Amino acid sequence: MPALPNPSQNQLSIRWPLPPQPGLTPPLRLGVLASGSGSNFEALVNACRGGVLEGAAVVQLIVNNPGCGAQQRADRLGVPWQLVDHRQRSRLLLDQELVSCLQDSAVDLVVMAGWMRIVTPVLIAAYAGRLVNIHPSLLPSFRGMDAVGQALAAGVRLSGCTVHLVAEEVDAGEILMQAAVPVLEDDDHSSLSARIQDQEHRLLPAAVALLGQRLGSLAQG
Ligand code: GRF
């Protein structure tokens, strides 16, 4: 039997070619919700400014944690941001405020990029078919919190990330795109998270472009 390739000698992520993403018609206005470091938010902004998301723009970032990494990235990147603090509102009032901010900015499509709040039907209905989330597992495996820890505990040999439409059931809406990475023998939380995030930064812009094209085709009838 031929020797199996040693994954540690290769590029660890599985980098298959993503489908081509022709220009978006009409241009897409993106709103991003983020609670943490904001690396996916930055990947989206960069993709709009010269990658697979040309024809789209991140017009607004909303954060719920004052001073979080995403907010600092928005300052550096020159993207308008707004704080909507969940500590001062019920889940329902939080989502009503989100919808109002997003509508004020005429956002077409909303991206939950590390938004650590469970959303209500208020937000889901206002952006039905236009609200996406990125989750660090190959759904439907490992829904909910600490998907990377769940994957390590389960001993799976393959993990990855999923971009999906948001439905009322957590991490259960229609899957738009997925990317897979190997889980290595000596992986810990931080090494596996980093490998998955590397793929997230490619996958999220591509999946948003795909949905943008779908919405554009629907709009044109
Ligand atoms: C990502 O791993 C995403 O899958 C999860 O939250 C993380 C956000 O990372 N929902 P970042 O804030 O974009 O760096």
Side-chain angles (χ1 to χ4, degrees):
M1 190 173 113
L4 290 172
N6 177 352
S8 64
Q9 290 169 353
N10 292 315
Q11 171 66 40
L12 291 181
S13 299
I14 299 167
R15 304 187 82 90
W16 76 102
L18 290 167
Q21 310 290 339
L24 295 164
T25 319
L28 260 198
R29 294 173 65 80
L30 304 177
V32 178
L33 311 180
S35 303
S37 116
S39 68
N40 281 287
F41 156 70
E42 181 159 357
L44 271 181
V45 172
N46 290 337
C48 291
R49 293 178 178 175
V52 297
L53 265 173
E54 277 184 70
V58 178
V59 295
Q60 185 183 38
L61 169 74
I62 299 178
V63 299
N64 64 319
N65 289 322
C68 66
Q71 178 185 319
Q72 292 167 29
R73 288 179 200 256
D75 279 334
R76 172 164 53 77
L77 294 163
V79 175
W81 61 266
Q82 205 164 337
L83 171 67
V84 181
D85 196 333
H86 62 278
R87 294 162 192 88
Q88 297 151 12
R89 300 168 171 87
S90 68
R91 228 184 261 290
L92 210 62
L93 286 177
L94 175 74
D95 280 5
Q96 281 169 353
E97 183 65 21
L98 293 180
V99 170
S100 148
C101 295
L102 293 163
Q103 288 178 344
D104 284 351
S105 298
V107 162
D108 298 311
L109 196 160
V110 183
V111 181
M112 290 166 46
W115 182 247
M116 302 306 285
R117 312 298 306 167
I118 292 175
V119 296
T120 69
V122 168
L123 180 61
I124 296 170
Y127 283 91
R130 297 162 178 263
L131 177 64
V132 301
N133 181 47
I134 182 154
H135 184 76
S137 79
L138 293 175
L139 290 174
S141 293
F142 311 129
R143 291 177 180 166
M145 296 297 289
D146 193 17
V148 173
Q150 291 185 56
L152 287 170
V156 293
R157 288 287 148 243
L158 197 64
S159 188
C161 48
T162 302
V163 179
H164 63 95
L165 288 176
V166 177
E168 282 189 43
E169 194 182 340
V170 174
D171 298 328
E174 179 193 334
I175 291 171
L176 295 172
M177 277 191 184
Q178 294 184 301
V181 302
V183 182
L184 303 184
E185 212 54 63
D186 57 354
D187 263 336
D188 58 16
H189 201 283
S190 128
S191 61
L192 181 55
S193 295
R195 194 173 308 122
I196 291 174
Q197 279 231 319
D198 182 49
Q199 288 295 302
E200 288 187 337
H201 300 160
R202 303 173 66 225
L203 190 74
L204 184 57
V208 168
L210 181 76
L211 183 57
Q213 286 157 27
R214 187 196 285 183
L215 295 174
S217 324
L218 287 179
Q220 285 163 24

